[in-house]
Amino acid sequence: MTRSTISGIACGAAAGALWGLSLLAPELIGSFAPLQLASVRFVTYGVIALFLLAPRLKTLLPHLGKVEWLGLLGLSLMGNIIYYSLLSTAVQLCGVAMPSLIVGFIPVTVTVVGALRADSALHIRQLIPSMLLSAGGIICIAWQNFHNASPQHHSSLWLQLGGLLMATAALLSWTGFVVKNANWLKRIAPLSHNDWNLLTGLVTGGLALLMLPLAFLLPHHLPVEGWGRFFLIACGMGLLASVVANAFWNNMTRLLPLTMVGQMILFETLFSLFYGFLWEQRFPTLLESCAIILAISGVISCVRAHGPAKHG
């Protein structure tokens, strides 16, 4: 294993460790709503992105037309606002484990979408083992959560189902973001990958500003206590899970083969599960352990389906 590969994996692990915190955050904010967490987090992200872009903004703006701004708008919604709002709601409905594991299948869903394209060198049949393993993992974690919900309390069953649907929608939203963002990165020749990500953060911050009245003015009852803790967590997520984690991820993409890059999202799943089990002060159950093994196996199978890795 080369030094650049080791460094790339380390960067991927660092990004995953920070992104994993964002899945624990909804458990830490108490009675605050996921929309409130998302809006403050992404306003912070936008402010930091503006600060970092400010010295070069005049040179970047001529390369951005209506099409580019609309593309950034769509990416900001799919990859940040919608994705994290859905994921935060899923965590508050049914805990950290199930949403973390479902999102862990992003490498497989992205690869499946890529294989369906006409120019793909990978046939969908080669991904059948990955898809079966992934489906098995989702079935295990869904069964675990539904089994824990008491049949006598239909509201609990509906909460678990709602959490499952929210997490699945988040998975689809992020999959769409990864595919669309990859297409855009091929088109923005005058801009660097980091510039594009910061511009995405800038647009995300603008959207989050529009969300603030909806998040904080419309609710009839706002929490009385815990505001300092809430803002510390939300702003910390904007810095660590958006700005710093994305910097690690961008560096990783320059160091690793293309066939390995998407699979590094597995670190987010493993770290978020680790944080969740620490927070809940417990070990994973048998079904959760099976789901974790199936998730890892599905990603490994997905990597092997690509054949020998080639540097891009």
Side-chain angles (χ1 to χ4, degrees):
M1 189 179 293
T2 64
R3 181 177 297 180
S4 63
T5 300
I6 294 172
S7 298
I9 292 173
C11 287
L18 294 172
W19 281 337
L21 289 172
S22 67
L23 276 88
L24 181 61
E27 288 281 313
L28 303 178
I29 60 173
S31 56
F32 287 88
L35 187 63
Q36 294 167 341
L37 173 62
S39 60
V40 175
R41 171 187 171 177
F42 291 128
V43 165
T44 304
Y45 181 23
V47 169
I48 297 173
L50 178 60
F51 176 78
L52 295 174
L53 282 171
R56 293 173 292 112
L57 204 53
K58 286 185 179 180
T59 61
L60 295 176
L61 288 177
H63 301 293
L64 299 170
K66 181 181 178 181
V67 174
E68 284 75 19
W69 285 114
L70 287 175
L72 287 166
L73 178 65
L75 292 174
S76 299
L77 287 169
M78 285 190 296
N80 290 311
I81 303 292
I82 294 175
Y83 168 73
Y84 193 61
S85 297
L86 289 169
L87 196 58
S88 299
T89 304
V91 170
Q92 286 200 333
L93 287 175
C94 56
V96 177
M98 184 172 74
S100 299
L101 281 165
I102 289 178
V103 169
F105 296 117
I106 286 172
V108 178
T109 56
V110 170
T111 306
V112 168
V113 172
L116 292 173
R117 295 172 56 171
D119 59 347
S120 174
L122 195 66
H123 197 278
I124 193 68
R125 285 197 301 268
Q126 296 172 265
L127 295 172
I128 289 176
S130 297
M131 291 187 287
L132 290 176
L133 289 166
S134 300
I138 292 174
I139 290 170
C140 282
I141 195 63
W143 182 265
Q144 162 74 31
N145 281 61
F146 291 138
H147 180 72
N148 285 344
S150 173
Q152 286 77 29
H153 297 87
H154 294 290
S155 60
S156 179
L157 287 169
W158 282 112
L159 286 176
Q160 297 299 325
L161 179 59
L164 175 63
L165 292 175
M166 290 286 185
T168 303
L171 168 66
L172 296 176
S173 181
W174 183 258
T175 300
F177 165 78
V178 171
V179 174
K180 290 292 185 183
N181 192 52
N183 292 337
W184 270 108
L185 289 174
K186 295 176 182 178
R187 297 171 57 180
I188 53 163
L191 305 176
S192 71
H193 288 195
N194 193 49
D195 287 337
W196 184 253
N197 284 319
L198 288 175
L199 286 166
T200 304
L202 188 63
V203 174
T204 300
L207 290 172
L209 278 174
L210 299 176
M211 290 168 56
L212 286 176
L214 180 65
F216 289 97
L217 297 182
L218 290 183
H220 296 294
H221 301 287
L222 290 173
V224 177
E225 299 178 345
W227 284 88
R229 175 191 175 104
F230 166 75
F231 278 109
L232 182 64
I233 292 171
C235 294
M237 289 299 96
L239 173 62
L240 296 175
S242 292
V243 179
V244 180
N246 287 354
F248 276 121
W249 186 264
N250 291 340
N251 192 45
M252 178 209 66
T253 60
R254 292 194 293 266
L255 295 169
L256 292 183
L258 291 176
T259 48
M260 289 183 66
V261 167
Q263 318 308 323
M264 293 295 104
I265 198 71
L266 187 63
F267 280 114
E268 178 188 3
T269 302
L270 297 178
F271 274 106
S272 60
L273 287 169
F274 176 69
Y275 299 147
F277 293 140
L278 279 181
W279 173 252
E280 296 173 3
Q281 297 182 3
R282 67 179 180 88
F283 290 101
T285 65
L286 177 60
L287 280 173
E288 286 171 341
S289 299
C290 290
I292 292 169
I293 292 170
L294 287 168
I296 295 172
S297 301
V299 173
I300 292 173
S301 174
C302 189
V303 172
R304 288 182 174 176
H306 287 78
K310 296 178 182 179
H311 285 272

